[in-house]
Amino acid sequence: MTHSPADLGAVLTRIADALERLAPARAATADFTQADAFIWHADERRLEAVPRVSRVEMELLKGIERTRDLLMDNTLRFARDLPANNALLWGARGMGKSSLVKAAHASVNAEMAREGKPPLKLVEIHREDIETLPALMSLVRPAPFRFVIFCDDLSFDADDTSYKSLKAVLEGGIEGRPENVIFYATSNRRHILAREMVENERSTAINPGEAVEEKVSLSDRFGLWLGFHKCSQDDYLAMIDSYIAHFAIPIAPETLRQEALEWSTTRGARSGRTAWQYVQDVAGRLGVSLSEPPAAPR
């Protein structure tokens, strides 16, 4: 059975249309002057501007002064076109890891404004979208700004191979990381990968040592490791005192200390998040409005 040129043309057109639908969406161009923060929507290959970032003021982050200074210094150097490292913020939950990243971004941009320099852009990518990092990099590479690509709660479980995309972007690959991009991530794990994931590789690989090394070496791509540990009682109370003073909540120091300690005891934890939850409770009981609340530490 023969087909006319017109029929063949129609068939080829349908095939081309089908392939076009199956192909990954091209990254849309972005107007980086809209805002200083963006969220990456991987399914649509586009950036959404975030006019107002939910964040904690830097001065309210207590008990992490050394970590704060290290991240601020690294971020300032990067914003000033100087060498800087990818950063991994790891450790205890609720101690302000992601809060510090957002606070550092705001503080650095305040300094950039004083120096008359362009603002630093913050782009958040979700953990499940790590495989699309190359597309995001292609979008920001030609832009006349510098970018902190930020992934909160980064970790990889068994059978998850998307960590290879991250490794390639951070250091490997032909193009490597764009000069105007730095990568910050938070994780509860120092080596990002689940222990069972590493143990599984060790037990099933032909060369266990090399297989484990490939996975563990992911964290080596971060030149700056910042550890967050459970806070002491003094640090916990200092966090609460800062919030109480910031929002002018009228409560006697003796009552505050007693209630705050009882609050942490009933929850079995002391952290920045626990401190903020207590402040919300006491403010509500005393009828104090937190109309401009900082985000709970993360």
Side-chain angles (χ1 to χ4, degrees):
M1 182 177 180
T2 59
H3 296 278
S4 68
D7 291 337
L8 288 174
V11 171
L12 291 174
T13 298
R14 288 198 296 273
I15 293 174
D17 290 342
L19 291 174
E20 182 70 23
R21 289 193 296 271
L22 291 173
R26 295 180 180 178
T29 57
D31 181 4
F32 292 113
T33 63
Q34 286 185 320
D36 290 338
F38 298 82
I39 295 176
W40 172 242
H41 292 285
D43 54 341
E44 302 172 13
R45 296 296 196 273
R46 69 177 181 87
L47 286 168
E48 177 186 358
V50 180
R52 184 186 181 90
V53 177
S54 176
R55 60 181 176 82
V56 180
E57 295 295 334
M58 184 69 83
E59 59 268 22
L60 293 178
L61 295 175
K62 302 295 183 180
I64 54 172
E65 285 77 10
R66 181 177 180 276
T67 303
R68 175 201 64 198
D69 293 344
L70 288 171
L71 189 69
M72 273 295 298
D73 179 65
N74 192 71
T75 310
L76 266 173
R77 283 191 280 117
F78 175 70
R80 290 168 173 162
D81 298 342
L82 296 172
N85 280 305
N86 300 313
L88 174 63
L89 292 75
W90 67 275
R93 297 177 182 275
M95 281 304 297
K97 296 186 292 295
S98 62
S99 295
L100 179 57
V101 172
K102 291 183 285 188
H105 171 250
S107 296
V108 166
N109 273 352
E111 181 62 30
M112 292 299 98
R114 286 190 289 269
E115 296 178 5
K117 295 180 178 179
L120 182 65
K121 305 297 179 177
L122 180 67
V123 177
E124 182 173 13
I125 181 171
H126 296 135
R127 149 72 193 90
E128 58 271 20
D129 298 329
I130 285 295
E131 284 187 327
T132 65
L133 258 177
L136 174 56
M137 294 298 184
S138 296
L139 181 61
V140 302
R141 186 185 299 268
F145 295 99
R146 297 179 77 76
F147 297 85
V148 173
I149 307 298
F150 171 52
C151 184
D152 191 24
D153 199 18
L154 179 64
S155 62
F156 298 94
D157 296 316
D159 301 323
D160 190 341
T161 60
S162 59
Y163 73 92
K164 295 182 179 179
S165 298
L166 178 57
K167 285 181 66 174
V169 167
L170 292 181
E171 292 295 342
I174 296 176
E175 289 185 304
R177 175 167 54 90
E179 290 185 1
N180 64 332
V181 169
I182 202 169
F183 192 86
Y184 284 1
T186 71
S187 178
N188 296 320
R189 305 165 180 162
R190 184 174 184 179
H191 289 292
I192 304 177
L193 306 168
R195 181 181 298 275
E196 60 269 20
M197 185 179 180
V198 176
E199 292 301 327
N200 182 61
E201 284 291 333
R202 181 177 285 113
S203 62
T204 60
I206 295 175
N207 190 324
E210 291 184 1
V212 172
E213 178 64 23
E214 179 188 6
K215 291 182 178 293
V216 173
S217 67
L218 174 60
S219 57
D220 292 340
R221 269 46 178 194
F222 296 89
L224 184 61
W225 287 14
L226 301 174
F228 289 69
H229 308 285
K230 293 181 179 179
C231 64
S232 67
Q233 177 174 294
D234 289 342
D235 287 337
Y236 168 72
L237 293 173
M239 295 172 189
I240 290 177
D241 287 341
S242 293
Y243 286 132
I244 294 297
H246 182 76
F247 292 108
I249 299 174
I251 182 172
E254 299 80 9
T255 303
L256 176 66
R257 179 184 175 86
Q258 179 183 346
E259 288 187 357
L261 292 178
E262 182 179 352
W263 184 273
S264 67
T265 300
T266 58
R267 280 146 189 80
R270 289 192 299 261
S271 69
R273 182 181 294 129
T274 305
W276 172 243
Q277 290 168 346
Y278 167 69
V279 170
Q280 287 183 302
D281 178 76
V282 70
R285 286 189 284 112
L286 296 177
V288 177
S289 174
L290 306 181
S291 57
E292 294 292 335
R298 297 162 61 192

